[in-house]
Amino acid sequence: MPTALVRRCLLSSAKTLEVLKINTWRNLSMAGTPPLNDAIKPLAWLLGTWKGDEGKGDYPTIKDFKYKEEVKFSHVGQPALEYSACSFHYETGKPLHREKGFLKIQPGTSHVALVNAQNAGIVELAEGEVKGQEFTVDSHTIGRMTFGKDPAVTKIRRMFRLVDPETLEQVVDMETSTTSPVQHHLTIQYKKVA
């Protein structure tokens, strides 16, 4: 075969492969959500997008407040749920606190772990137990950026509970470098929107 013809065939084959790769990726993306991994089926009740319009916050060192929040639990077929939370100012709708992370269950148990990064410069590793349609996790590790605002958060406890098929509740307790022991901080109920 002449060299020019070989080059054209190779170039044409490379372009065809690239188009196939792109179309395969598009088809996988458009195929929808993959099946839920067996390892996280005990958390299936969390799946979806939930909105809360009247969260209540308090703590000994701050003024009581209200907030709105959206949480989302999703998956990509791996043995973990993806978690995100976005809170908003109650009156203005201004974005406030953000969290992103993952929930995993230790295989063959009801032991659950939350790995969570927050826009306030905190990383939370928390573990606990799933009991039916409720779980509580207590942090065992709190990472903090070196220039984080004081007082430092030293412990976080979270409880998620399905109140009914359309209502999810979260209660957050925390401890800081100036307040001990763990005390109530946040309570919110969400309605399922998707």
Side-chain angles (χ1 to χ4, degrees):
M1 237 191 237
T3 308
L5 181 58
V6 169
R7 253 189 258 134
R8 279 196 305 257
C9 285
L10 288 174
L11 196 56
S12 175
S13 295
K15 286 180 183 177
T16 301
L17 280 174
E18 191 59 34
V19 168
L20 282 173
K21 283 182 197 174
I22 290 168
N23 285 335
T24 300
W25 181 251
R26 280 189 191 139
N27 289 340
L28 285 173
S29 298
M30 293 170 32
T33 306
L36 185 64
N37 189 291
D38 287 342
I40 55 171
K41 284 188 176 173
L43 298 173
W45 51 274
L46 289 166
L47 288 169
T49 301
W50 305 80
K51 286 189 179 182
D53 288 330
E54 196 160 322
K56 294 181 176 133
D58 59 70
Y59 205 67
T61 57
I62 61 173
K63 184 179 170 186
D64 292 2
F65 62 95
K66 291 183 180 179
Y67 66 101
K68 296 180 181 190
E69 188 168 65
E70 179 178 296
V71 295
K72 183 175 182 180
F73 295 92
S74 59
H75 74 96
V76 293
Q78 296 178 337
L81 285 188
E82 295 180 8
Y83 160 74
S84 66
C86 304
S87 65
F88 304 90
H89 188 277
Y90 185 73
E91 294 170 357
T92 67
K94 177 184 170 188
L96 299 171
H97 188 76
R98 297 284 191 263
E99 299 182 355
K100 295 201 181 278
F102 300 91
L103 283 164
K104 294 186 74 123
I105 293 183
Q106 183 179 4
T109 73
S110 60
H111 192 76
V112 64
L114 170 68
V115 179
N116 178 17
Q118 303 174 21
N119 66 335
I122 295 170
V123 177
E124 168 190 357
L125 300 171
E127 296 185 33
E129 297 297 318
V130 178
K131 295 177 182 169
Q133 295 180 325
E134 179 177 325
F135 73 87
T136 300
V137 291
D138 287 286
S139 63
H140 60 73
T141 305
I142 299 284
R144 181 176 184 248
M145 62 187 179
T146 58
F147 54 94
K149 191 169 112 177
D150 285 327
V153 173
T154 55
K155 186 155 182 88
I156 299 172
R157 175 179 297 133
R158 295 172 185 270
M159 183 277 298
F160 279 96
R161 174 175 74 99
L162 193 65
V163 176
D164 62 53
E166 300 300 314
T167 309
L168 180 68
E169 179 179 47
Q170 180 180 195
V171 177
V172 178
D173 302 328
M174 75 175 183
E175 176 182 283
T176 72
S177 55
T178 61
T179 54
S180 184
V182 172
Q183 298 179 48
H184 180 266
H185 181 42
L186 305 169
T187 299
I188 190 167
Q189 284 197 345
Y190 311 94
K191 291 296 180 187
K192 193 167 195 172
V193 295

